[in-house]
Amino acid sequence: MNGVVLMVVAAVVLAAGYLGYGRWLANAWGVDRDALTPARRMEDGKNFSPASAFTAFSHQFSSICGAGPVTGTIVAMAFGWLPVVLWVLVGGIFFGAVHDFGALYASMKNNGKSLAQLIEKYIGKTGRRLFLLFCWLFCLIVIAAFTSMVAGTFKFTPDAAGAVDFTKSYAAGCAGTISILFTFVAMGFGWAQRRFNLAGAREFVTGMVLMVLMFAVGMRFPIYLDLNGWIAVVMVYLVCAGAMPIQVLKQPRDYLTSIMMIVMIACAVLGIVVLGIGGRATITAPAFTGFTAASGTMFPVLFVSVACGALSGFHSLVSSGTSSKQVENEVDAVKVGFGAMVVESFVGVLAIIVAGIMFSDMNTAGTGALNGGVASTPFAIFATGVARGMQAFGVDGTVATVFMTMNVSALALTSLDAVARIGRTSFSEFFASTNDALAVEGAKAGAMKVLGNPWFATVVTLLPGLALTFGGYLNIWPLFGASNQLLGGMTMITLAVFCKCTGRTGWMLYVPVAFLLVCTFTSLGMSILGCLQALQAGGAAAMATSGLQLVFAVLLVALGLIVAVNCLKELVGKQVGSMPDEEPEWSEMGRAKVAAARHAAATADAEVASA
């Protein structure tokens, strides 16, 4: 199979899905161009901050496009590349994009409520508390895993004497320096956006110039730290990204990161095309290897392994937790929710193509060592493959390697800071007595004044995540895929209840709900059986790993069943149209800014009329 042909076919299918199904879904649910979004009505200078369509898209895309589109797809190629491509295309359009857009839209129609708050409204308080506990624990695992991944990408490689091997460590040191610069440059860029009202081409060109300068400085002055040093740097960054007002650091950083990722996608596409012209873009990996691989049977392993790129429950936390508070116009919700997922699916296809082309270079099938150990992980295979394509159209090898190393770390880091923010809001919401999105951080007295404080909640969330980073998360990481897809199933069934209660069409959610619940419970059931067998065979020595996995798996099954049963009861019992959209809520800042904008528009119209 020619990689260029597969890439073109995938691009056409995904574009048709966005232009056709995405727009149809928006019309079916009633996207209103004239409605004032929560970002405008409830602007508070902290979490609610209206942004342009591209800025909101950048936040959503950079937050959701983490390790999954690369790691999950390449690992799942153990079944062959064809099943993975089919799941990415079908799942991305009819499952993932509907899931992401639905969570975003439902939140916007409910004054920016998070998914947990939507569960309380449509399901009940018990469901909200259970979900928030699950969500917070889920975030801790992701914080631990991704912090370890990012720090491992940046750490220096020692020589025989234990000192820095500058040749082998150069790309990692440059990428680490650029990441540090990113934090300060993003805050300056965000200030310039607000101070000089940067938008459109001016905003994009400014971002591009800053990116080029950061790469130039980073490659000139690389910083070399060991693993613990970079873990400390990442944690300091997460404290800031998690607690600061979103428009100060995270929003502008996501904008800059998206520029870098778009350039990466363009380089990957161009590299595949150039390799194809030279006859070097043939996918040598097998199209199909069978329904069973070393990791298990195709169902449910494929659908649990490939989350980001097809469907990931984590995306709903971003859609409802942060993105819904930034979308300036309801029409933009389709671009942000549906569009970002479609682009992520395309990244997943590119990862499959790159790994498929490089398959003949691998010493072992699937994710085995490449070229004698130069690249042995899915991330390394993807980065090496795209860098090779960049060199094919004239980019210097060192520049290409540094660029891809930075992109690999950015894929994890931008999801990591989103998880830190979602984790701290989940912590605060758990203790809140109100279901009001503005009230959690607005408490002036009592325990919620502390528990709702963003700095306190961020530190409390990061500390156990840091502890897990140094040991522990690997024991339960094998259950991450199932827990992530269980989260997706709970989101889908909540959206089905939302649609019925508000009188919207919801039949397109029923098949994904059934499939996800069956898939996740099957996966968890198999995990429980495997843990029991390991405990029986291994005795006390297996308690630290299989025992912990068993406890976690049983808790996930119990939580999933409770939420699913309650949701199904509500779905069957609720009357169509019994709970209309929430009445618009306003903040003082939002009311003042909307009034000022309306006054300015009326004045401009009057001047035009008088002229």
Side-chain angles (χ1 to χ4, degrees):
M1 180 68 179
N2 187 284
V4 178
V5 173
L6 180 58
M7 180 176 67
V8 172
V9 170
V12 170
V13 170
L14 292 170
Y18 172 76
L19 296 173
Y21 191 55
R23 290 184 177 179
W24 173 83
L25 191 62
N27 292 330
W29 282 349
V31 168
D32 184 0
R33 181 181 297 274
D34 298 322
L36 284 173
T37 63
R40 295 189 63 195
R41 289 185 282 101
M42 302 166 66
E43 185 175 358
D44 62 353
K46 299 176 183 177
N47 299 307
F48 289 83
S49 177
S52 66
F54 184 74
T55 299
F57 169 89
S58 297
H59 167 75
Q60 176 81 5
F61 175 64
S62 62
S63 296
I64 68 174
C65 193
V70 173
T71 303
T73 52
I74 295 178
V75 168
M77 286 175 67
F79 298 102
W81 61 261
L82 183 58
V84 188
V85 168
L86 292 176
W87 170 233
V88 167
L89 295 180
V90 175
I93 294 171
F94 297 103
F95 287 64
V98 175
H99 168 275
D100 295 8
F101 171 58
L104 175 66
Y105 181 72
S107 176
M108 290 172 61
K109 285 300 184 182
N110 286 277
N111 290 317
K113 281 182 167 54
S114 68
L115 183 58
Q117 292 170 325
L118 291 174
I119 288 175
E120 174 172 340
K121 176 178 178 178
Y122 295 106
I123 311 303
K125 282 190 176 182
T126 302
R128 188 196 81 165
R129 288 287 176 86
L130 288 172
F131 180 83
L132 283 170
L133 179 59
F134 166 79
C135 180
W136 190 69
L137 294 173
F138 178 87
C139 288
L140 297 186
I141 298 172
V142 178
I143 288 170
F146 280 25
T147 297
S148 179
M149 184 186 300
V150 172
T153 302
F154 292 157
K155 70 175 181 178
F156 70 78
T157 301
D159 58 19
V164 178
D165 187 321
F166 293 103
T167 301
K168 293 182 179 180
S169 304
Y170 178 72
C174 293
T177 305
I178 296 166
S179 290
I180 294 175
L181 290 172
F182 236 120
T183 303
F184 299 101
V185 171
M187 287 191 285
F189 179 62
W191 173 83
Q193 284 176 308
R194 298 185 297 275
R195 175 66 177 81
F196 301 106
N197 196 28
L198 294 179
R202 291 171 59 221
E203 184 180 36
F204 187 81
V205 170
T206 302
M208 284 291 293
V209 171
L210 290 174
M211 290 296 302
V212 171
L213 289 175
M214 279 191 290
F215 269 86
V217 173
M219 293 185 69
R220 181 67 179 83
F221 303 102
I223 295 175
Y224 301 105
L225 298 175
D226 62 10
L227 180 65
N228 291 340
W230 281 117
I231 288 175
V233 171
V234 171
M235 281 293 162
V236 171
Y237 165 72
L238 292 181
V239 171
C240 298
M244 282 183 172
I246 199 163
Q247 71 273 19
V248 173
L249 173 56
K250 180 145 178 58
Q251 196 178 75
R253 190 190 191 284
D254 289 341
Y255 185 97
L256 294 173
T257 301
S258 289
I259 292 177
M260 184 174 67
M261 289 184 177
I262 289 170
V263 174
M264 178 198 72
I265 293 171
C267 288
V269 170
L270 183 57
I272 292 170
V273 170
V274 172
L275 289 174
I277 294 174
R280 294 177 290 162
T282 301
I283 297 178
T284 57
F288 180 65
T289 61
F291 293 98
T292 304
S295 55
T297 57
M298 184 180 294
F299 181 89
V301 172
L302 170 64
F303 307 100
V304 170
S305 300
V306 184
C308 293
L311 179 138
S312 171
F314 164 67
H315 295 187
S316 66
L317 304 181
V318 177
S319 292
S320 64
T322 53
S323 295
S324 64
K325 300 170 178 61
Q326 298 180 59
V327 177
E328 193 171 29
N329 190 301
E330 269 194 25
V331 175
D332 297 340
V334 185
K335 304 169 188 173
V336 174
F338 207 101
M341 182 63 227
V342 167
V343 176
E344 187 193 55
S345 295
F346 187 64
V347 173
V349 173
L350 290 177
I352 296 167
I353 295 171
V354 168
I357 292 173
M358 299 186 72
F359 182 84
S360 61
D361 292 342
M362 299 178 191
N363 294 329
T364 56
T367 58
L370 173 68
N371 292 338
V374 174
S376 58
T377 67
F379 259 152
I381 291 169
F382 179 70
T384 304
V386 176
R388 181 182 295 181
M390 292 172 67
Q391 293 176 63
F393 61 82
V395 178
D396 177 76
T398 302
V399 173
T401 301
V402 170
F403 177 71
M404 284 310 302
T405 302
M406 184 60 214
N407 272 279
V408 163
S409 63
L411 284 169
L413 194 57
T414 51
S415 291
L416 185 55
D417 56 27
V419 169
R421 197 172 189 89
I422 292 166
R424 67 94 168 163
T425 57
S426 298
F427 174 85
S428 297
E429 285 180 18
F430 183 86
F431 298 99
S433 58
T434 175
N435 204 29
D436 184 351
L438 280 175
V440 175
E441 291 183 20
K444 304 298 182 183
M448 277 308 298
K449 184 177 181 181
V450 176
L451 296 172
N453 182 279
W455 294 96
F456 176 81
T458 300
V459 172
V460 169
T461 298
L462 291 178
L463 284 177
L466 177 61
L468 285 172
T469 301
F470 290 107
Y473 81 90
L474 286 174
N475 292 332
I476 51 179
W477 184 250
L479 297 174
F480 170 79
S483 61
N484 186 34
Q485 300 307 64
L486 178 61
L487 174 56
M490 289 190 287
T491 300
M492 285 291 217
I493 199 169
T494 303
L495 294 177
V497 177
F498 159 76
C499 287
K500 184 175 182 181
C501 290
T502 57
R504 291 181 169 88
T505 303
W507 56 262
M508 73 288 295
L509 299 167
Y510 298 156
V511 171
V513 165
F515 180 81
L516 286 170
L517 292 180
V518 171
C519 185
T520 52
F521 284 131
T522 300
S523 178
L524 289 170
M526 293 170 65
S527 296
I528 290 173
L529 180 61
C531 289
L532 289 173
Q533 292 173 342
L535 286 173
Q536 185 178 10
M543 287 299 297
T545 55
S546 298
L548 185 59
Q549 285 185 36
L550 177 62
V551 172
F552 195 69
V554 171
L555 288 175
L556 285 175
V557 170
L559 171 66
L561 286 174
I562 292 171
V563 175
V565 169
N566 283 312
C567 285
L568 287 171
K569 285 181 179 178
E570 296 299 322
L571 183 61
V572 174
K574 293 288 189 184
Q575 295 296 317
V576 176
S578 59
M579 298 175 66
D581 297 333
E582 284 191 4
E583 289 297 317
E585 185 177 346
W586 294 78
S587 66
E588 293 182 9
M589 181 186 294
R591 192 180 297 278
K593 286 198 171 184
V594 169
R598 285 174 172 171
H599 176 72
T603 302
D605 290 342
E607 291 176 353
V608 171
S610 62

